[in-house]
């Protein structure tokens, strides 16, 4: 029996009394992945990206482990909810236009002490001030550095289009604007190198492209390390009390941690290890989050149909954004139908061994987005489901 076949038997035994569709987190794998992130962070604290987890119970679990400190959130409403729930270090990784949220933040001392917001433009400071509605709490602010690799005078760009702040002088100028402005305190810098942290460099069957990605990432790491170091020095000259410099992601933990300018690493997907993180030379995680769909039809030889399955991940549309039929091994999508809104046909010889009601296990392409489809996660330890905990959705929250 292969290791994957053994896992399938274990998952099926543990959930035999549970009807699919369902979502499961293997805590043995989750904890092992957490240990690997800490090892690669080389002593620097790991800030957990909540968008990649979307479950309060699992955020609490990982933050109770040595090596983890703080949350990186994705909306202001989520940040405030987490602060009300007792999380006391929440960095909002994206600028917000949530006026009601800013009014609450500016009037709540506990929230204002716990939440740091992201800005990369004076206009965002103007929006916050206009939204205060009399609230006088000081707003903690983080600046974001653009990390993209730009070549040929900027005509070639590799990396996400995020912050307009690319050069150290630009960050220092905005830092001075924050320092002059009553009601704000600059406490951090963030720089997320998604083209390194979120792009696999060992693509199956594509050796030439994989080599090109590795070359690009090596150049990008060197360029960013120099520019990020200069940006941090420029901002610290304005705000010497800066509390943190955040960088990286699951795929770049050890490289980002090696930079002296960086004080903490962001990571989240590496806890669940969705299928997009299978293609890295720098680390190997264990799949921890899966979902099961029930077989509801057997249309013919070598074909079964499962209920649901159309759960594509965000990003540029493509086959790599679809969930992966994972267990039993050997199932594949019908190219004419793909993953369906209500039903999904699957092809392959393993289909003939599956009966109505049996489970097919899938891996989502991206981490926390799985939790937007399920109200609860069943937590597996060994061969037993030991707890069932709500996702954000199960607690009545869909923040985006």
């Amino acid at each position: 029996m292969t290791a994957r076949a053994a896992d399938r038997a274990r998952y099926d035994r543990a959930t035999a009394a549970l009807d699919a569709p369902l979502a499961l987190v293997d805590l043995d794998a989750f904890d092992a992945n957490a240990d690997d992130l800490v090892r690669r962070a080389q002593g620097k604290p790991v800030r957990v990206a909540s968008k990649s987890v979307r479950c309060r119970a699992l955020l609490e679990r990982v933050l109770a482990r040595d090596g983890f400190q703080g949350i990186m959130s994705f909306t202001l409403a989520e940040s405030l909810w987490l602060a009300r729930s007792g999380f006391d270090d929440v960095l909002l990784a994206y600028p917000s236009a949530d006026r009601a949220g800013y009014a609450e933040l500016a009037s709540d001392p506990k929230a204002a002490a716990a939440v740091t917001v992201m800005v990369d433009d004076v206009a965002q400071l103007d929006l916050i001030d206009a939204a205060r509605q009399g609230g006088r709490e000081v707003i903690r602010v983080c600046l974001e550095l653009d990390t993209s690799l730009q070549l040929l005078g900027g005509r070639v760009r590799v990396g996400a289009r995020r912050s307009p702040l690319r050069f150290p002088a630009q960050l220092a100028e905005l830092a001075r604007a924050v320092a002059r402005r009553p009601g704000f305190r600059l406490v951090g810098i963030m720089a997320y190198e998604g083209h390194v942290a979120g792009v696999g460099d060992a693509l199956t069957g594509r050796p030439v492209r994989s080599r090109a990605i590795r070359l690009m990432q090596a150049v990008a790491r060197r360029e960013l390390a120099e520019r990020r170091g200069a940006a941090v020095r420029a901002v610290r000259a304005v705000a010497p009390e800066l509390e943190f410099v955040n960088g990286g992601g699951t795929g770049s933990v050890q490289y980002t941690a090696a930079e002296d300018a960086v004080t903490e690493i962001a990571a989240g997907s590496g806890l669940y290890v969705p299928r997009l993180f299978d293609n890295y030379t720098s680390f190997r995680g264990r799949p921890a989050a899966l979902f099961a769909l029930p077989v509801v039809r057997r249309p013919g030889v070598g074909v079964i149909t499962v209920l649901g399955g159309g759960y594509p991940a965000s990003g540029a549309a493509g086959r790599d954004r679809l969930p992966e039929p994972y267990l039993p091994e050997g199932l594949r999508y019908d190219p004419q139908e793909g993953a369906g809104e209500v039903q999904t046909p699957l092809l392959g010889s393993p289909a003939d061994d599956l009966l109505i009601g049996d489970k097919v296990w899938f891996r989502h392409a991206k981490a926390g987005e799985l939790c937007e489809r399920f109200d609860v996660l069943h937590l597996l330890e060994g061969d037993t489901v030991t707890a069932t905990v709500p996702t954000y959705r199960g607690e009545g929250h869909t923040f985006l």
Side-chain angles (χ1 to χ4, degrees):
M1 180 182 290
T2 66
R4 278 175 59 172
D7 280 340
R8 180 196 172 199
R10 186 162 58 94
Y11 301 152
D12 283 347
R13 284 196 305 271
T15 63
L18 301 173
D19 288 335
L22 63 84
L24 175 147
V25 173
D26 184 339
L27 291 179
D28 296 337
F30 181 91
D31 290 344
N33 293 334
D35 288 341
D36 184 65
L37 290 172
V38 170
R39 177 188 62 79
R40 290 196 286 134
Q42 304 169 46
K44 293 185 177 178
V46 178
R47 184 179 291 273
V48 184
S50 63
K51 77 178 183 66
S52 301
V53 179
R54 302 194 202 200
C55 171
R56 277 200 303 168
L58 291 176
L59 289 173
E60 290 168 353
R61 182 184 183 91
V62 72
L63 286 171
R65 303 176 68 87
D66 290 340
F68 290 87
Q69 180 180 306
I71 290 175
M72 176 177 283
S73 59
F74 59 95
T75 74
L76 182 54
E78 179 211 13
S79 305
L80 293 167
W81 176 65
L82 290 171
R84 290 193 297 269
S85 300
F87 296 95
D88 61 3
D89 182 2
V90 182
L91 169 62
L92 174 57
Y94 308 87
S96 176
D98 180 354
R99 291 175 173 81
Y102 282 130
E104 179 179 345
L105 182 64
S107 62
D108 184 337
K110 178 181 176 182
V115 175
T116 301
V117 303
M118 190 66 60
V119 300
D120 56 35
D121 192 310
V122 171
Q124 294 155 355
L125 301 176
D126 294 339
L127 187 150
I128 296 170
D129 271 338
R132 284 178 181 269
Q133 297 182 5
R136 296 181 178 276
E137 296 299 323
V138 173
I139 305 299
R140 293 166 54 85
V141 167
C142 178
L143 308 183
E144 181 170 1
L145 171 70
D146 169 47
T147 66
S148 64
L149 175 65
Q150 297 188 16
L151 305 171
L152 301 177
R155 292 191 295 275
V156 175
R157 175 193 178 100
V158 182
R161 297 181 183 275
R162 293 176 61 111
S163 172
L165 305 176
R166 177 165 182 81
F167 301 107
Q170 293 175 304
L171 268 84
E173 181 180 359
L174 186 53
R176 285 190 288 271
V178 174
R180 291 192 298 265
R181 194 150 184 158
F184 294 91
R185 184 166 74 253
L186 177 58
V187 299
I189 298 173
M190 174 187 145
Y192 171 58
E193 53 267 49
H195 49 301
V196 179
V199 178
D201 62 351
L203 307 180
T204 302
R206 306 183 72 180
V208 174
R209 181 169 176 79
S210 296
R211 285 194 292 272
I213 290 172
R214 288 194 289 274
L215 176 61
M216 175 275 292
Q217 290 179 339
V219 172
R221 290 196 302 268
R222 289 193 296 271
E223 186 275 337
L224 178 59
E226 180 177 346
R227 186 159 51 88
R228 179 158 41 199
V232 171
R233 290 191 295 273
V235 173
R236 285 196 184 277
V238 178
E241 72 282 3
L242 206 66
E243 296 175 13
F244 64 86
V245 177
N246 180 281
T250 289
S252 71
V253 171
Q254 65 271 35
Y255 303 119
T256 308
E259 295 183 32
D260 291 339
V262 175
T263 66
E264 63 175 38
I265 312 300
S269 295
L271 297 168
Y272 286 168
V273 186
R275 62 173 297 219
L276 284 179
F277 284 85
D278 287 348
N279 302 313
Y280 286 78
T281 56
S282 60
F283 75 101
R284 287 287 184 272
R286 291 172 54 185
L290 304 97
F291 66 94
L293 301 178
V295 176
V296 292
R297 287 177 168 164
R298 291 168 50 89
V301 175
V303 185
I304 50 98
T305 301
V306 296
L307 184 68
Y311 308 157
S314 60
R319 294 184 64 182
D320 65 339
R321 301 289 146 167
L322 295 178
E324 175 193 21
Y326 185 59
L327 299 170
E329 298 179 71
L331 292 173
R332 65 186 186 279
Y333 291 116
D334 182 332
Q336 301 302 313
E337 296 195 48
E341 176 189 8
V342 176
Q343 67 171 33
T344 297
L346 296 170
L347 312 179
S349 57
D352 294 329
D353 297 322
L354 292 167
L355 304 177
I356 300 297
D358 284 351
K359 295 180 176 76
V360 175
W361 294 90
F362 291 75
R363 293 173 64 202
H364 204 269
K366 293 185 74 174
E369 294 180 20
L370 168 65
C371 294
E372 298 298 334
R373 299 289 181 170
F374 293 91
D375 291 342
V376 299
L377 299 173
H378 300 285
L379 305 185
L380 178 69
E381 296 186 75
D383 293 334
T384 306
V385 171
T386 57
T388 298
V389 296
T391 60
Y392 280 12
R393 169 177 158 161
E395 295 200 69
H397 295 289
T398 50
F399 292 109
L400 278 178

